Amino acid sequence: MAKWNWNATVVEQKLGLRRVGSASGEVEAPTREAAHAAARRDIERKGSGRTAFELQVFESSRGR
């Protein structure tokens, strides 16, 4: 399984307020598509009302 880095623009809505920021991380997955899905789940799991936009996934140089 390969290691994949990801970064995204994240929008979080709470109590009528909207915050925009960025997030990044690393996931292990067999394919880029699986890594994309895992990264999206990771973002959404870390806070209710969080949505990822412009999610980019790229192979980690450390995972080779």
Side-chain angles (χ1 to χ4, degrees), residues 1-5 26-29 58-63:
M1 213 174 294
K3 290 190 182 213
W4 301 86
N5 290 323
E26 184 177 78
V27 295
E28 280 192 50
F58 46 97
E59 195 166 4
S60 172
S61 60
R62 291 184 288 159

Side-chain angles (χ1 to χ4, degrees), residues 7-27:
N7 57 36
T9 300
V10 178
V11 176
E12 184 173 17
Q13 291 190 291
K14 283 188 178 178
L15 303 172
L17 298 175
R18 183 176 170 191
R19 287 188 345 195
V20 178
S22 62
S24 62
E26 184 177 78
V27 295

Side-chain angles (χ1 to χ4, degrees), residues 46-61:
K46 289 192 174 152
S48 63
R50 289 183 87 185
T51 306
F53 292 93
E54 301 175 7
L55 178 59
Q56 298 177 337
V57 175
F58 46 97
E59 195 166 4
S60 172
S61 60

